Amino acid sequence: MKFDSEKVSTLSVAIRKNILRTIASKGTGHVGGSLSIADTLAVLYGGVMNIDPANPQKADRDYIVLSKGHCGPAMYAALAAKGYFGEAELDTLNQNGTILPSHTDRAKTPGVDMTTGSLGQGASLAAGAAFADKLNNASNYTYLILGDGELDEGQVWESVLFAAHNHLSNLITFVDVNGKQLDGTTDEVCCLGDIGRKFDAFGYHVIEVENGNDVSQIYDAIQDAKRERNIPSAIILHTIKGAGVKKYAEMENCHSTNVDIKNLDEFYRELEKPAERTGGVSHD
Ligand SMILES: Cc1ncc(C[n+]2csc(CCOP(=O)(O)OP(=O)(O)O)c2C)c(N)n1
C-alpha cells in the first residue's frame, strides 16, 4: 500500500480531536500519553495494518496491543475514526454500561484484541500472540505499544528475552519515549539510560525515530522493521507527552488531567491549523 502522509496526518488530527472529546466527556483522564501516541496509531490504522473495521475478528488480521492500557482513549479515538463503532460512544468513557472502559478491555470494545492496564502484561501477551502466529506460519504482525515508564516493569524484559530467543520478527514493538510517567520524569523515577542499546543487547533490531510524532518517520521505521526477517524489532519513538495541544505539551505533568468540554472548540481549531499542528509536536 502506498503511504499517503497527508491522509494519515489528517487521521492523526481526527484521533487527537476524538481523544480530547472522549476525556472531556468524563472531565478527566490520561491525556498526555494518549496524545503522544496518536501519530503512531494514525500510521498503524491509516496505512499499515491489515484490518477490517466491519469485521473486527477477521482471522488473518494484524494485532495491536496497547500495553500502556491507561491510554485507552487514544485507541478508542482511532477505532471510532475508522468506524469500528459510532463516534457518539466516545462520550461514554468509563461510565456504567459503557463499551469504553478507562483501560482497554477485549471483552468490551470491538477492535481491542488484548486486555491491558496492568503495566508490563501486554508485552507478554503480545509475545505470546506473535509466537502462536509463528508456530502457525501465519503472515500477520503483532504491534506492541509500550510506555517508557512501563519499562520499569521486570515483566517487559522477560518478554523481550522470550521474543528474541524465539526470533519473533513478526513482533514489532514501539516504545513511546515521552520522558515522563505518572508522577515525574522517567529520569527522576527510575533512570532508563539508553533504551535502544538495552533492546539491542537483548537481541532486537532497533530503530530510533527522532521525531516520534512525525507520521512519515514512523512509517519509514515500520518498513525498516518489516525488512528484518529474523529477529524482533523495537522502534524507539522520541515523543512529547501531550503532543499536538500546546496546553498539555507545555504542562509539567499532563499524565492524568482535566479536559473541559468548554475548551474543545478552541483545541479543535488549534489542531486544524497546519502551522500550529506542529506546535508542541516539534522537537526543535
Ligand atoms: C503494574 C502497574 N503498576 C503501576 C500502574 C500505575 N500507572 C499507571 S500509568 C503509570 C505510568 C506509566 O508511564 P508510561 O509508561 O511512561 O506511560 P505514558 O507516559 O506514555 O502515559 C503508572 C505507574 C499500573 N497501571 N500498572
Side-chain angles (χ1 to χ4, degrees):
M1 192 194 297
K2 202 175 162 310
F3 180 67
D4 182 341
S5 69
E6 199 49 45
K7 204 172 124 211
V8 174
S9 294
T10 303
L11 178 59
S12 79
V13 170
I15 290 173
R16 283 196 165 88
K17 285 184 182 174
N18 280 351
I19 289 170
L20 295 163
R21 169 185 174 172
T22 304
I23 295 177
S25 77
K26 185 76 189 161
T28 187
H30 291 99
V31 179
S34 293
L35 289 172
S36 64
I37 203 62
D39 307 289
T40 296
L41 293 174
V43 175
L44 287 173
Y45 283 99
V48 168
M49 284 199 298
N50 173 20
I51 46 167
D52 179 4
N55 180 13
Q57 299 297 317
K58 187 168 107 87
D60 64 345
R61 69 190 182 280
D62 292 330
Y63 294 122
I64 180 164
V65 180
L66 182 67
S67 192
K68 50 172 214 158
H70 57 281
C71 296
M75 194 154 184
Y76 308 148
L79 291 171
K82 291 301 287 182
Y84 279 81
F85 45 79
E87 297 204 332
E89 296 289 346
L90 297 175
D91 300 327
T92 68
L93 180 72
N94 214 15
Q95 290 170 17
N96 284 342
T98 187
I99 63 164
L100 307 180
S102 68
H103 295 56
T104 36
D105 183 335
R106 68 192 286 266
K108 297 215 164 109
T109 315
V112 171
D113 284 320
M114 292 289 182
T115 299
T116 55
S118 184
L119 296 171
Q121 292 188 356
S124 301
L125 292 167
F131 186 50
D133 286 334
K134 189 178 173 189
L135 291 177
N136 289 327
N137 286 320
S139 59
N140 63 321
Y141 282 89
T142 294
Y143 296 97
L144 165 66
I145 298 176
L146 299 171
D148 50 358
E150 183 175 11
L151 300 184
D152 293 354
E153 296 291 342
Q155 182 169 1
V156 170
W157 301 103
E158 183 182 343
S159 78
V160 167
L161 269 179
F162 175 86
H165 175 76
N166 288 293
H167 296 266
L168 300 183
S169 57
N170 56 343
L171 174 65
I172 297 180
T173 299
F174 298 91
V175 187
D176 182 0
V177 185
N178 58 37
K180 297 178 181 176
Q181 59 141 303
L182 189 152
D183 53 3
T185 66
T186 49
D187 281 350
E188 286 162 350
V189 177
C190 188
C191 184
L192 291 157
D194 189 326
I195 295 169
R197 281 185 61 199
K198 285 188 167 62
F199 275 89
D200 177 67
F202 276 79
Y204 271 52
H205 172 55
V206 175
I207 305 143
E208 298 277 348
V209 176
E210 193 186 338
N211 183 348
N213 296 115
D214 180 303
V215 295
S216 297
Q217 290 186 32
I218 297 165
Y219 179 78
D220 289 347
I222 295 169
Q223 300 318 300
D224 182 338
K226 285 187 166 182
R227 282 190 291 273
E228 171 55 63
R229 299 280 180 175
N230 188 40
I231 54 176
S233 292
I235 298 177
I236 314 296
L237 302 163
H238 297 276
T239 63
I240 290 175
K241 200 152 176 168
V245 182
K246 269 197 172 70
K247 174 183 163 123
Y248 297 111
E250 290 174 358
M251 201 178 265
E252 190 182 348
N253 185 349
C254 63
H255 181 75
S256 179
T257 189
N258 300 338
V259 180
D260 192 326
I261 220 154
K262 291 202 293 285
N263 296 130
L264 281 183
D265 285 340
E266 187 191 322
F267 292 146
Y268 290 176
R269 277 196 298 277
E270 182 185 344
L271 287 164
E272 273 157 19
K273 288 185 196 150
E276 287 184 28
R277 201 186 292 168
T278 49
V281 174
S282 164
H283 284 237
D284 298 336

